[in-house]
Amino acid sequence: MSAISLGQATILGIVEGVTEFLPISSTGHLKITEGLMGIPVDDPSVVGFSAVIQVGAIAAVLLYFFKDIVRIVTAWGRGLADKEERYHHDYKFAWWIIFATIPIVVVGLAAKPLIEGPLASLWVVAGSLIVGSGVMWVADQMGRHKRGEDDTSFKDAMLVGCSQILALLFPGFSRSGATMSTALLLDLDRVAATRLSFFLGIPALTGAGVYELKDAVGAGVGLAPLVVGTAVSFIVAYASIAWLLKYVARHSFNAFVVYRVIVGVLLLGLLGTGVLSA
């Protein structure tokens, strides 16, 4: 019997699609939802399922930014073949994404037992939601929002890429929240920060999904729930991406900050009263 039913997979796919790219923590929301449905959040197959359905959200990014990705990959290919093409920003940007992904891969492999064990606790999620909110608020207030996407540098990409580790180790901190906050502190504008977060998420989340696939299927989650959860995640994530880019062009991140604090406090209350098990 599958550890996750088709109905639960559908709900989790919706949660993943809505929250993956919003700076409110998809992992945290998935764990909260799993806890409310009585699904053990630290079960290896459940952890694997959560990673695999992220691929649906990544597929949505690939489709939404298809023209940009083709442009960057094409520039990278031309640069490998022609030295003169290596001065093009897109060629350099492709390498920056590759190098900026290495730290999270190394830490993810080295800290896997901690990530799937003690750090999977809902207490960690609650604390990370609240602490991450403070970081996001400070970044949005301090950032001067004066640099666009074409102004990004190797240093920017590496610092933003390394910030993904915070979300990896502390579910609830939010990968999007960590990367966007770091980009804002580097004075990128909100749209540039959001787009950089998207591009950095493609290799990191795709790699995690592929790596965890064997655990999800082999340890107790059937193929059907994985397919359903991933498909739903893709559809919902596409709509979420389109909405977020329009939103950040005109608004601050304050609404996300307030929402995260509310969810974190409510989660602490549910854990403290025994309604949810950590």
Side-chain angles (χ1 to χ4, degrees):
M1 182 178 178
S2 175
I4 297 176
S5 69
L6 288 178
Q8 291 172 329
T10 301
I11 293 172
L12 292 173
I14 293 172
V15 172
E16 164 63 24
V18 171
T19 62
E20 180 58 57
F21 299 110
L22 301 186
I24 57 177
S25 176
S26 62
T27 302
H29 279 74
L30 284 172
K31 289 184 180 297
I32 292 170
T33 306
E34 290 161 358
L36 290 172
M37 292 193 295
I39 301 172
V41 298
D42 58 349
D43 185 312
S45 67
V46 175
V47 174
F49 174 86
S50 299
V52 171
I53 65 173
Q54 288 177 337
V55 176
I58 290 302
V61 173
L62 292 174
L63 180 60
Y64 194 90
F65 292 107
F66 182 74
K67 291 183 179 179
D68 295 293
I69 293 170
V70 169
R71 188 190 76 243
I72 292 169
V73 172
T74 301
W76 184 68
R78 288 200 305 263
L80 292 178
D82 185 349
K83 185 177 180 180
E84 294 299 321
E85 295 289 336
R86 295 174 190 174
Y87 296 99
H88 197 288
H89 183 269
D90 285 339
Y91 170 79
K92 292 184 285 186
F93 187 73
W95 276 115
W96 298 344
I97 294 297
I98 293 171
F99 286 126
T101 302
I102 294 174
I104 193 174
V105 173
V106 173
V107 174
L109 293 174
K112 193 171 187 289
L114 285 175
I115 295 168
E116 295 181 354
L119 294 178
S121 168
L122 288 177
W123 287 108
V124 176
V125 171
S128 299
L129 277 167
I130 295 171
V131 173
S133 299
V135 173
M136 185 180 299
W137 183 83
V138 170
D140 204 18
Q141 298 301 311
M142 291 182 61
R144 289 179 286 178
H145 316 292
K146 67 177 184 177
R147 300 169 58 207
E149 187 174 346
D150 290 338
D151 297 320
T152 55
S153 65
F154 175 68
K155 176 184 176 182
D156 296 329
M158 287 302 298
L159 289 174
V160 174
C162 286
S163 71
Q164 295 180 109
I165 295 172
L166 286 172
L168 180 68
L169 297 178
F170 305 105
F173 203 96
S174 169
R175 191 201 65 82
S176 295
T179 52
M180 290 178 191
S181 295
T182 303
L184 289 174
L185 287 172
L186 293 169
D187 293 330
L188 269 67
D189 63 47
R190 295 187 183 97
V191 173
T194 303
R195 285 173 59 87
L196 181 57
S197 175
F198 286 151
F199 287 125
L200 281 167
I202 293 172
L205 296 179
T206 301
V210 172
Y211 182 79
E212 295 285 358
L213 180 60
K214 66 181 187 306
D215 290 337
V217 177
V221 176
L223 182 60
L226 278 172
V227 172
V228 169
T230 303
V232 172
S233 170
F234 166 77
I235 296 169
V236 177
Y238 190 90
S240 179
I241 293 167
W243 176 84
L244 180 61
L245 285 171
K246 291 179 181 177
Y247 181 86
V248 298
R250 299 184 178 181
H251 301 85
S252 71
F253 287 109
N254 289 343
F256 298 120
V257 171
V258 172
Y259 173 80
R260 288 170 56 105
V261 171
I262 292 173
V263 173
V265 171
L266 286 175
L267 181 55
L268 288 175
L270 291 172
L271 291 170
T273 56
V275 174
L276 275 180
S277 170

